[in-house]
Amino acid sequence: MLDIKKLDRVLLKLSGEALAGDKKTGFDEATVLDVAGQVKALVDSGVQVAIVIGGGNFWRGRTSENMDRTKADQIGMLATVMNCIYVADMFRHTGLKTRVYTPFSCGSFTQLFDKTDAVDCLEQGYVTFFAGGTGHPYFSTDTATALRAVEIGADAILLAKAIDGVYDSDPKINPDAVKYDRISLQEVLDQKLGVIDLTATIMCLENKMPLILFGLNEDNSIVNTINGKFNGTIITVE
């Protein structure tokens, strides 16, 4: 059974929209610095942290029917690269060491992803950012999150979202929606709850990668989650 207080290496998934704060687009520096402070507290306590960031604060290409899907996804990948470069630099201002990896060459902006190098950096106290998704169209940042988490041997994926947990229905629509404290990935799949996309769900299920979903907007939510003091949902693989 997953023991949150004994997590040594985690992959934190942040939505691009969350970084935009109330502006809904671009970056909100206060939000990013708050996340940086919390991640620094984790690193200082000995937890190894990798991060994947979505690109929704810049690009939601899948909503357009007037564009080739491959090209739309490529723009989305570049949006995640911009996010990671920005957030990594903000993290450095708080005293953290960072490294940004991409699955494709971005000149001197990032480093080409290499599992061994990424794990070495994590062990040296770097916060490692995995930008650019999987490098291929038709795969979301959810899938990239699951893939990188499995590759680096993370103990769990932390899903920091606008919603504070997994519900049996959309709480925005159904005021009687029930939130789960704990649910299995198989139940998530069977009930089509859509916590992460189908490809990512299957990958986590097959590789026994647990997830912890919580609301990013709650005070000190990342640190509280690692310390087991959170109101979110643990998604198990038992």
Side-chain angles (χ1 to χ4, degrees):
M1 182 176 293
L2 179 67
D3 186 343
I4 295 177
K5 295 183 179 180
K6 293 184 179 179
L7 298 178
D8 296 317
R9 180 180 296 163
V10 297
L11 195 153
L12 173 64
K13 168 67 186 302
L14 297 168
S15 72
E17 293 95 326
L19 298 179
D22 294 335
K23 296 187 297 183
K24 306 299 182 184
T25 187
F27 303 113
D28 180 70
E29 186 169 311
T31 299
V32 175
L33 289 175
D34 178 71
V35 171
Q38 292 190 63
V39 171
K40 188 174 190 304
L42 265 57
V43 172
D44 289 346
S45 71
V47 179
Q48 298 173 17
V49 182
I51 295 177
V52 170
I53 306 174
N57 53 325
F58 284 116
W59 182 253
R60 305 294 294 181
R62 294 188 180 193
T63 62
S64 173
E65 297 179 358
N66 300 315
M67 189 173 189
D68 178 77
R69 170 66 182 272
T70 296
K71 297 303 180 185
D73 283 0
Q74 288 171 342
I75 295 171
M77 292 176 212
L78 294 176
T80 71
V81 175
M82 290 191 296
N83 279 344
C84 285
I85 291 173
Y86 174 83
V87 175
D89 194 61
M90 290 295 102
F91 276 29
R92 281 193 286 271
H93 281 285
T94 68
L96 287 163
K97 298 181 293 183
T98 63
R99 183 81 42 98
V100 179
Y101 293 97
T102 48
F104 43 77
S105 177
C106 289
S108 61
F109 296 164
T110 66
Q111 288 193 236
L112 198 61
F113 174 74
D114 175 84
K115 171 188 171 179
T116 302
D117 189 62
V119 170
D120 284 347
C121 281
L122 284 166
E123 291 175 344
Q124 293 171 36
Y126 282 75
V127 177
T128 61
F129 290 81
F130 301 131
T134 65
H136 300 282
Y138 296 91
F139 293 97
S140 72
T141 49
D142 283 347
T143 303
T145 297
L147 174 63
R148 296 297 184 232
V150 171
E151 285 184 299
I152 66 172
D155 296 317
I157 294 170
L158 306 184
L159 295 174
K161 296 201 171 191
I163 193 169
D164 64 351
V166 179
Y167 289 78
D168 65 351
S169 58
D170 189 342
K172 294 180 180 178
I173 300 173
N174 177 17
D176 297 320
V178 176
K179 185 170 78 172
Y180 297 101
D181 293 328
R182 185 180 291 263
I183 189 172
S184 72
L185 261 174
Q186 187 62 56
E187 290 174 308
V188 167
L189 191 61
D190 293 343
Q191 297 180 41
K192 299 179 180 179
L193 296 178
V195 175
I196 51 176
D197 71 31
L198 183 59
T199 303
T201 302
I202 296 297
M203 183 174 292
C204 288
L205 192 60
E206 290 182 342
N207 292 279
K208 299 189 181 301
M209 178 61 62
L211 304 96
I212 304 166
L213 192 153
F214 60 95
L216 179 63
N217 295 328
E218 297 178 11
D219 289 341
N220 218 31
S221 59
I222 301 171
V223 172
N224 286 340
T225 296
I226 286 290
N227 290 329
K229 303 173 182 176
F230 80 114
N231 299 314
T233 302
I234 297 174
I235 306 169
T236 66
V237 290
E238 288 87 359

